[in-house]
Structure formats: C-alpha cells, structure tokens
Amino acid sequence: MTQTASQASGNQGRIFSGVQPTGNLHLGNYLGAIKNWVALQNDFDCIYCVVDLHAITVPQVPDQLRQSIREVTACLIASGIDPEKSVLFNQSAVPHHAELGWIFNCVARLGWLNRMTQFKEKAGKNRENATVGLYSYPTLMAADILVYKATHVPVGDDQKQHLELTRDIAVAFNSMFETELFPTPEPLIQKTAARVMSLRDGNSKMSKSDTSDATRINLTDSAEEIARKIKKAKTDPEPLPETIELLEARAEARNLVGIYAGLAGCSQEDVLTEFGGRGFGEFKPKLADLAVEVIAPISTEMNRLLADHGAIDAVLASGAEQAAALSEPVLSEVKAVMGLKG
Ligand code: AMP
Ligand code: TRP
C-alpha cells in the first residue's frame, strides 16, 4: 500500500532511499524523490545513499563514476539533505549491502525477477548481453533497505515494483527462517509529480539516460537553459483546461501542470484554477520563472560545494561509518538465524 509522508509519521519508522550516481540529477529526481527526502528528515531517522553498486550494473568510466558520486552528493546537500540530521554515504563504502544482497539472491526466485519491468526496459533487445548484476539489481535494492530494517522508502513511481519485490523478499526470509527479523517496508510516493515526464514526449519518463538534454531540466542547468528548455517543451495548441479530467488525454499539458504543482507545492487543481483557459504562451514563462526560482539556488550551492572535494569525501566517510554501525548488527542477526554463524 502506498502511504503519504504524513501517514507514515504516525508509526515513526526509519527511512531509507537511494539515488544512482550516473550523470546529473534532474527535475524528475528532485520532484519525485529528493524533495520528499528533505521534508522527511525533520521527523524521521533518515538514511540516504548514493548507490554506486547499482550504477555499475551498466558500464561506467572510473573517473566519471568517481566524479558523479561527488556531484550527486553535493547535489543532495545543495537540495537540503543535511548530513548533520541524516546519514549520507555511498553504498560501496558499506560492505553489508553487497553481503545481504547475495543472501537475498538465494531467497528471491527467478520468477519474481523475471517480472521486473525496469530490467526489460534497461536491457532492451540485447538481453543476452545485459550483466547478471542488472538482472539481480532488485535483490541488492532490497538489501539496501532491509540491512537497516527501514520501514519507509520515499521513491518515485517507477520504483514501486522494486519495493513490492523487497516486501516479498522480507516476507519470504521471515517465513523461511521462522523469524520476524525484517519489517515489510512501505513506499512513500508523492501525490504530485511522482512521475515527471520528458519535456519532448509526455509519454516517456524524464531520465538521466535520455540522449537528448532538451528532454530534462538538470539541477545544474543555468537560468537561461531552464527558461529555454521550458519555452521549447512540447505542448498542444489548446489553452489549459479548467478541470483535471480534461488533462487526461493531453500528456504534455498534464506533465507541465504536474511540474508546476510540484515546484509550487500546490495541487494540480490549484494550478488549473489559476491558469485554466489561458494558453501556453502565458503559462510557460510563469513555469520557467518558478523553475528558475527553485532550481538555480541548488545549482549555485552545488558548484560551491564541488570546489572542495575533501569536504564532500569527509561527509561520505562519516556517513559510511554511521551507516555501517547500523547495518552490522542486522547482518549479524541474519547470519545467526541462517546458521552462518554460531
Ligand atoms: P535514479 O536516478 O534512477 O537513481 O532515481 C532516483 C530517484 O528519483 C528514485 O526515487 C526515482 O523513483 C526518482 N525518479 C527518477 N526519475 C523520475 C521521474 N522522471 N519522475 C519522478 N521520479 C523520478
Ligand atoms: N533503484 C533505485 C533507482 O534506480 C535506486 C535505489 C537503489 C534505491 N537502492 C535503493 C531506492 C533503495 C530506494 C531504496 O532509482
């Protein structure tokens, strides 16, 4: 079941989420996930991870990967993740993720993984050539979450299926070893902008891996780039409608309204109350101004942080130490119930 953050705060759990260090973060990451991560850190015990072991499921250039880990970390801090409040680290620095990931490879069934749509999308036509890691990726994601016994996972809509698999693994493990060791974590999915679409095609997801940069707003884009991309965003000739129902069949218009709502922190209905009946010639400049207002300060702060690699590396090292102190006892418990240690 999908919950909102306010519902989750009733049972005070532990939050875990991750983002891949592959290229720059974009508006989809921000509105779909990171904005929520920032809000949650005031009320929850939060662990946020730059998932570099997930990134290597497809080939990476070592120097670029090193740089991306720092960039994504800087971007998270610039977006409002506070390393004093939350644990912030990179996945490969804590070996327990990979270790529990292997154990989960021995719990999850081929049939479960065969259903994962993201593997099918990412592997494309040449499936025989995909790495085994890309295929078993969701078991590592389950380990990321469960090695901290996290109860809530704020993600974009695209990760819902992986979360369901995580729950299946937790239930299967508990039942195989007659234990209550793992919780069944809940996804926390935003109501607005859970799935931000490409600016050039309202039916495909805004993504880091899209070859055209015009499809996304990067959190590092300058004010001019943001305004230009929004001006060029695909739309239809009709003015904005007065009601949500009339947006249904208009993928691009719906996406821009969703983005506006996400950035302004209001509902899509509110956006239509303000802009219903008005054309894109009027709406787009307002959207561009709002996007610049939210994104430009993140990009400025990120560049400031990136000037000092040592400081970013120190944040990651301290986060890894805190994370390992939390995951080590859980892995120990897992080994004990499995008969891997006395
Ligand atoms: P990734 O960049 O794939 O590591 O994703 C990091 C987080 O951003 C995950 O929680 C995703 O669900 C979320 N995310 C990625 N792309 C989008 C998008 N286009 N719309 C909404 N959320 C997204
Ligand atoms: N699979 C997620 C993505 O591609 C990233 C991720 C890895 C993650 N491990 C996680 C997200 C654990 C939440 C919890 O976006």
Side-chain angles (χ1 to χ4, degrees):
M1 194 189 65
T2 304
Q3 287 187 315
T4 60
S6 54
Q7 281 170 303
S9 58
N11 21 316
Q12 287 299 335
R14 174 177 280 167
I15 301 282
F16 182 94
S17 199
V19 60
Q20 295 198 45
T22 42
N24 280 320
L25 297 186
H26 54 71
L27 192 63
N29 297 129
Y30 182 72
L31 293 178
I34 296 162
K35 196 170 163 232
N36 206 9
W37 298 10
V38 173
L40 288 162
Q41 48 180 358
N42 295 324
D43 300 318
F44 287 91
D45 173 13
C46 295
I47 306 171
Y48 296 127
C49 184
V50 178
V51 289
D52 47 12
L53 294 176
H54 278 96
I56 61 165
T57 55
V58 296
Q60 301 293 338
V61 176
D63 281 338
Q64 276 172 17
L65 180 59
R66 214 182 326 272
Q67 180 62 12
S68 279
I69 294 170
R70 292 188 180 120
E71 279 176 8
V72 167
T73 307
C75 195
L76 292 176
I77 299 171
S79 303
I81 302 296
D82 178 356
E84 299 288 318
K85 283 189 193 159
S86 302
V87 177
L88 177 61
F89 70 109
N90 62 310
Q91 188 184 25
S92 62
V94 178
H96 311 132
H97 294 238
E99 221 178 322
L100 186 61
W102 175 257
I103 291 173
F104 285 169
N105 277 342
C106 304
V107 173
R109 304 306 153 111
L110 282 181
W112 303 355
L113 288 174
N114 283 339
R115 286 198 289 272
M116 297 295 116
T117 53
Q118 196 174 72
F119 172 75
K120 292 177 197 162
E121 277 161 29
K122 287 200 177 176
K125 289 205 180 78
N126 198 357
R127 203 177 290 185
E128 294 288 305
N129 201 35
T131 65
V132 175
L134 188 67
Y135 183 76
S136 69
Y137 169 122
T139 61
L140 180 59
M141 177 161 162
D144 296 338
I145 297 165
L146 293 171
V147 85
Y148 300 100
K149 296 192 180 178
T151 52
H152 296 90
V153 185
V155 281
D157 190 57
D158 60 335
Q159 297 301 313
K160 220 168 155 179
Q161 197 184 33
H162 291 160
L163 247 295
E164 275 156 25
L165 187 94
T166 302
R167 293 160 62 84
D168 288 343
I169 290 176
V171 169
F173 183 96
N174 286 351
S175 132
M176 275 165 84
F177 299 103
E178 296 176 357
T179 165
E180 303 271 297
L181 205 156
F182 290 122
T184 44
E186 302 281 353
L188 293 176
I189 297 180
Q190 304 267 64
K191 279 216 184 94
T192 342
R195 183 177 284 261
V196 176
M197 309 309 276
S198 154
L199 296 179
R200 311 297 291 176
D201 171 6
N203 292 305
S204 76
K205 202 177 70 168
M206 185 177 285
S207 156
K208 288 171 191 166
S209 52
D210 200 310
T211 47
S212 159
D213 194 58
T215 58
R216 63 183 163 258
I217 293 174
N218 302 301
L219 297 188
T220 47
D221 282 348
S222 66
E224 295 72 36
E225 278 169 317
I226 295 173
R228 187 164 38 81
K229 286 177 180 176
I230 291 182
K231 193 168 163 215
K232 286 201 174 160
K234 191 175 165 198
T235 45
D236 55 42
E238 302 296 318
L240 284 167
E242 313 276 343
T243 63
I244 293 285
E245 294 70 39
L246 294 172
L247 271 182
E248 268 316 297
R250 298 172 61 187
E252 283 80 18
R254 192 175 61 221
N255 189 36
L256 294 187
V257 168
I259 290 176
Y260 192 103
L263 288 168
C266 67
S267 70
Q268 302 198 25
E269 284 84 354
D270 293 339
V271 179
L272 293 184
T273 305
E274 190 174 345
F275 292 101
R278 307 219 217 152
F280 285 101
E282 231 178 299
F283 179 65
K284 279 183 168 180
K286 296 273 193 243
L287 177 59
D289 286 349
L290 180 60
V292 168
E293 194 184 310
V294 177
I295 306 299
I298 297 179
S299 137
T300 308
E301 176 62 1
M302 181 178 160
N303 286 326
R304 193 188 67 78
L305 292 166
L306 277 173
D308 186 354
H309 280 180
I312 297 178
D313 293 351
V315 165
L316 290 174
S318 150
E321 210 175 296
Q322 296 169 59
L326 297 169
S327 52
E328 201 281 327
V330 178
L331 194 63
S332 229
E333 239 185 303
V334 168
K335 287 182 174 170
V337 299
M338 294 179 76
L340 291 170
K341 74 169 211 192

